[in-house]
Amino acid sequence: MSKLKIVTIVGARPQFVKAASLSKILRTRFREVLVNTGQHYDFYMSQIFFDQLAIPKPDYNLGVGSGSHAWQTGALLTRIEKVLLREKPDWVLVYGDTNSTLAGALAAAKLRIPLIHVEAGLRSHDMSMPEEVNRIITDHVSTLLFCPTKTATNNLKKEGIAKGVYNVGDVMCDAFLDYIRKIKSRGRETYIPPKPYALATIHRAGNTDSKIVLKHILRAFGQIPMPIYFLIHPRTLKAIKKLRIQIPKNIRIKKPKGYLDMLALEKGATLILTDSGGVQKEAYFCHVPCLTLRDNTEWTETLSYGWNTLVGSRPRSLLGIIRTLNNRIRKHPNYFGQGNAAHKIAQIIGSFTK
């Protein structure tokens, strides 16, 4: 009997990390065809992850690049459809909540190919976020929905989705537990700056497209009494230059890092400031307090016991919040599994036949 064929679609930094954990497991049991959409195309946001994490070379590079949400999703939809018509897979697998996720899900649904959604069931309950729209649509056309937490399974249940839903744990937890050991064994901690320091990432359009919002954020960063290593997304750097925003003296502008260096920096940080869902979660894995520059989060578990705090996109001051962090942080529950989510996913897929 020939192996089941799975077309896996990736295109952005968090999806590369998840694929690093899952693809190597899938390929022991199935035939995987890997499609890189090119949604993230900067070397430090894309190729470095394939190099460092030994992700299999993509079978297809669609090279979509940047554009409006509508244009990018439409361009991806037509390009992914061509791949699926050519490959005729048994399953299509998508991760998370990007435009690559949505386009892959719609293409599979239109061609009536069963869809697997890894990281299903997340909800921020904010429909102004493109990611929230992508998540909801993808979940509602999926055949197998692999949830990272109990909260995610409950979200799906509230929306009437119960069939094909599995709480397997988080594949990003798999990656973290695997690669944090490799960082220690390779001495990569030598890349960590002198303590104390904060680590910052800002990339969401709601925070970067408005001069007023971006100035509020950077002004609040400037009041923090420690160096801030700002790993700057290309979109954010472009916005700062275009809007001519002054950078406070305590901020050190740095290029985005590969996954291993990023983990080392996160692990060594005193504080993490971000609007990224993945970085919020990595901060929790590293036992480092996080301030999230958003009004909501899809990773509500990280808010428990003060590990993550929502400070909004226009914080006037962060000092008061920072001073209370040590008093609020207590327990650190394991919400995200034991590091075996990829094995569980492969086993469940294997139990299904055409």
Side-chain angles (χ1 to χ4, degrees):
M1 181 183 295
S2 61
K3 291 184 177 180
L4 291 176
K5 182 193 287 189
I6 300 173
V7 166
T8 295
I9 297 168
V10 297
R13 175 195 183 275
Q15 295 168 339
F16 304 144
V17 176
K18 295 161 194 169
S21 292
L22 185 52
S23 283
K24 62 185 177 183
I25 305 300
L26 292 179
R27 290 179 180 228
T28 64
R29 302 185 60 166
F30 313 111
R31 181 184 171 196
E32 183 187 42
V33 176
L34 187 61
V35 178
N36 181 8
T37 67
Q39 184 174 335
H40 278 176
Y41 51 89
D42 181 89
F43 175 82
Y44 292 99
M45 301 293 289
S46 179
Q47 187 58 46
I48 193 171
F49 288 87
F50 285 85
D51 295 344
Q52 285 191 351
L53 306 184
I55 303 170
K57 182 180 178 180
D59 299 279
Y60 295 88
N61 284 285
L62 303 185
V64 70
S66 60
S68 70
H69 286 288
W71 179 89
Q72 191 177 65
T73 303
L76 284 170
L77 181 57
T78 57
R79 297 179 197 191
I80 291 171
E81 182 184 54
K82 290 179 181 179
V83 173
L84 299 184
L85 288 171
R86 179 176 179 179
E87 292 292 339
K88 296 181 173 57
D90 300 291
W91 296 90
V92 173
L93 187 150
V94 295
Y95 294 98
D97 54 22
T98 68
N99 290 341
S100 298
T101 308
L102 176 61
L106 291 175
K110 295 293 185 180
L111 295 173
R112 304 186 69 178
I113 302 171
L115 180 69
I116 300 165
H117 188 197
V118 176
E119 205 176 79
L122 300 186
R123 297 291 184 268
S124 68
H125 306 290
D126 180 0
M127 290 298 290
S128 69
M129 293 177 60
E131 295 87 351
E132 185 78 350
V133 176
N134 295 347
R135 295 177 196 126
I136 291 173
I137 295 174
T138 300
D139 283 339
H140 281 265
V141 298
S142 293
T143 303
L144 293 178
L145 302 97
F146 293 118
C147 299
T149 64
K150 184 177 180 180
T151 302
T153 62
N154 289 338
N155 287 336
L156 293 176
K157 185 177 180 180
K158 291 175 183 177
E159 295 176 16
I161 304 174
K163 186 178 180 180
V165 175
Y166 300 88
N167 180 6
V168 295
D170 192 341
V171 290
M172 284 194 76
C173 182
D174 291 19
F176 173 81
L177 293 174
D178 186 16
Y179 288 102
I180 201 71
R181 289 189 289 265
K182 294 180 181 180
I183 289 171
K184 294 177 181 178
S185 67
R186 296 179 184 181
R188 193 168 286 269
E189 61 270 18
T190 57
Y191 293 97
I192 299 175
K195 296 183 179 182
Y197 68 91
L199 185 68
T201 74
I202 301 293
H203 76 281
R204 293 187 181 275
N207 284 337
T208 61
D209 291 355
S210 165
K211 184 174 183 178
I212 294 174
V213 171
L214 198 51
K215 283 182 69 174
H216 269 284
I217 291 172
L218 294 178
R219 188 179 297 130
F221 283 5
Q223 297 169 6
I224 296 175
M226 69 180 85
I228 298 176
Y229 285 80
F230 191 177
L231 306 185
I232 197 155
H233 190 284
R235 176 197 291 143
T236 310
L237 181 60
K238 183 178 179 181
I240 288 173
K241 290 180 177 179
K242 179 181 178 181
L243 300 173
R244 297 181 181 180
I245 298 174
Q246 186 174 358
I247 304 296
K249 293 182 179 180
N250 67 323
I251 293 179
R252 317 287 193 261
I253 298 293
K254 302 292 180 181
K255 290 181 179 180
K257 300 294 182 182
Y259 185 60
L260 300 182
D261 289 328
M262 184 64 175
L263 283 188
L265 285 167
E266 288 172 331
K267 187 69 175 175
T270 304
L271 176 69
I272 291 174
L273 307 132
T274 191
D275 60 4
S276 160
V279 175
Q280 290 174 55
K281 199 167 40 172
E282 288 165 0
Y284 188 83
F285 295 159
C286 290
H287 294 227
V288 175
C290 180
L291 301 184
T292 295
L293 281 300
R294 288 167 50 185
D295 295 317
N296 51 60
T297 178
E298 58 274 25
W299 297 107
T300 55
E301 296 84 0
T302 64
L303 300 175
S304 299
Y305 304 102
W307 287 101
N308 187 12
T309 303
L310 300 175
V311 297
S313 59
R314 297 191 186 188
R316 293 187 176 181
S317 175
L318 300 176
L319 289 179
I321 297 171
I322 292 170
R323 291 190 183 110
T324 65
L325 285 178
N326 289 334
N327 293 329
R328 290 189 291 126
I329 294 174
R330 292 289 185 268
K331 298 179 182 179
H332 190 273
N334 178 10
Y335 295 112
F336 300 99
Q338 304 299 322
N340 59 351
H343 286 279
K344 290 182 178 179
I345 290 170
Q347 185 177 15
I348 293 168
I349 295 172
S351 69
F352 284 79
T353 58
K354 291 182 69 175

